[in-house]
Amino acid sequence: MLTGFIGLGVMGGPMALNLARAGIPLLVWNRTPSRAAPLREAGAVVAAEPAEVFAGARTVFLMLADDTAIDQVLGRGAPGFAERVADRTIVHMGTTSPEYSGRLRDDIREAGGRYVEAPVSGSRVPAEAGRLVGMLAGDPDDVAAVRPSLAPMCHETFDCGPVPNALLTKLAVNLFLITMVTGLAEAFHFADRHGLDRRRFLDILDAGPMASDVSRMKAAKLLDGDLSVQAAVRDVLNNNRLIAEAARASGLASPLLDVCHALFGETVALGHGRSDMVAVLRAIEARTDDRDRRPGRR
């Protein structure tokens, strides 16, 4: 029996490719057919429509942008939904609200299917290297059945308990990521506008205790002015919104996140929605330049 994989975007494409290269027989589909070409070359079967994936696979991984895309491929709310999910395990690997995930689990179970949350931490480069970190939630038996298939994509996986704890954990991880990268961009801007040697500044950061794989990767992009996407600004903004909504629902303060939310919104408005998240630097620069243009400033 084939394993299904739907969603071959910036993250899903390399994730599925790692599965295929590990020898897992795959049946894949993507809304933009050209993105399936590397999978076909790696031996995967490319479906013409999502229904073919559910008809030919008992486990289907979904790496899709949002709840609307998920509902569409599942046929949720339509007569064919139960036929697609019954006797199958649906593995939700994208990032949606925890509330949505809980409702989806209930609908899939009612239709006779099984459901596992498996969001991942990492961007395009770790996805290509099979170095993502997986967070799992669901029935323990279902999680145990899915875990071996995650090995080609994730170098570590963690049990997070029942749904929606994996997604809540992912949102907490992303809160740290968003604020960290925004802080790095602001520090880079501070050093740059004071005329400091930018490379030396970043080398000092890299030599100190705050260095990480993320800081090294994003620092290089800041230095080179490289906005090619690893984690897109518009996706970060959507994640920011999901975290803020989860915080509000629990009565939690999120002061750093709220500032980042505004900055990433401004980054999108400046036309950088498809750029890498380091493009938040452009919003910070714009705020500085606006201050410089105010009357009375030299």
Side-chain angles (χ1 to χ4, degrees):
M1 176 64 69
L2 298 171
T3 295
F5 200 106
I6 295 177
L8 305 175
V10 171
M11 294 287 290
M15 290 164 66
L17 198 56
N18 282 332
L19 288 176
R21 288 170 175 167
I24 296 176
L26 279 187
L27 177 58
V28 305
W29 181 83
N30 192 70
R31 188 179 306 277
T32 304
S34 61
R35 290 193 171 178
L39 273 299
R40 182 181 284 108
E41 293 174 5
V45 178
V46 179
E49 58 183 7
E52 292 183 26
V53 178
F54 295 99
R58 290 298 174 188
T59 299
V60 180
F61 291 92
L62 304 179
M63 190 60 181
L64 295 164
D66 53 33
D67 48 7
T68 300
I70 293 170
D71 288 347
Q72 287 177 346
V73 301
L74 289 174
R76 193 166 172 222
F81 172 72
E83 182 180 353
R84 292 190 183 190
V85 304
D87 297 321
R88 289 163 180 80
T89 300
I90 307 301
V91 185
H92 172 23
M93 301 194 76
T95 305
T96 61
S97 74
E99 292 79 10
Y100 169 82
S101 183
R103 293 193 299 270
L104 181 60
R105 172 205 56 196
D106 294 344
D107 287 351
I108 288 173
R109 284 182 174 178
E110 185 177 346
R114 295 168 295 277
Y115 180 75
V116 173
E117 278 183 352
V120 293
S121 177
S123 57
R124 178 178 57 81
V125 172
E128 291 172 345
R131 300 288 296 174
L132 298 169
V133 176
M135 292 150 275
L136 300 170
D139 181 275
D141 290 340
D142 297 337
V143 168
V146 165
R147 187 186 298 278
S149 297
L150 297 176
M153 300 181 281
C154 303
H155 75 102
E156 284 196 69
T157 56
F158 295 88
D159 287 334
C160 297
V163 173
N165 280 7
L167 272 166
L168 283 168
T169 304
K170 170 67 185 292
L171 295 183
V173 169
N174 278 3
L175 196 162
F176 179 51
L177 171 67
I178 292 167
T179 55
M180 178 175 61
V181 173
T182 304
L184 176 62
E186 185 172 335
F188 181 85
H189 175 67
F190 180 92
D192 181 41
R193 292 299 176 99
H194 278 89
L196 302 180
D197 184 318
R198 299 180 303 170
R199 183 178 295 278
R200 179 170 298 170
F201 164 66
L202 294 175
D203 285 345
I204 291 168
L205 281 182
D206 193 37
M210 295 175 289
S212 67
D213 289 345
V214 171
S215 70
R216 294 185 184 102
M217 186 184 308
K218 298 306 184 185
K221 292 177 76 64
L222 287 167
L223 185 64
D224 296 338
D226 175 15
L227 301 184
S228 60
V229 67
Q230 293 171 343
V233 166
R234 62 180 180 180
D235 294 332
V236 173
L237 181 60
N238 183 57
N239 273 255
N240 204 313
R241 176 184 60 79
L242 292 173
I243 301 166
E245 289 174 352
R248 300 297 173 267
S250 299
L252 303 178
S254 55
L256 294 179
L257 181 76
D258 296 343
V259 171
C260 293
H261 199 165
L263 284 168
F264 277 95
E266 292 164 24
T267 308
V268 170
L270 289 168
H272 296 290
R274 295 180 181 274
S275 300
D276 187 74
M277 66 185 299
V278 296
V280 71
L281 175 65
R282 300 293 181 246
I284 298 169
E285 290 172 336
R287 287 195 182 192
T288 293
D289 294 340
D290 285 344
R291 287 173 60 87
D292 289 344
R293 285 192 290 267
R294 289 178 186 173
R297 294 189 65 88
R298 295 180 180 224

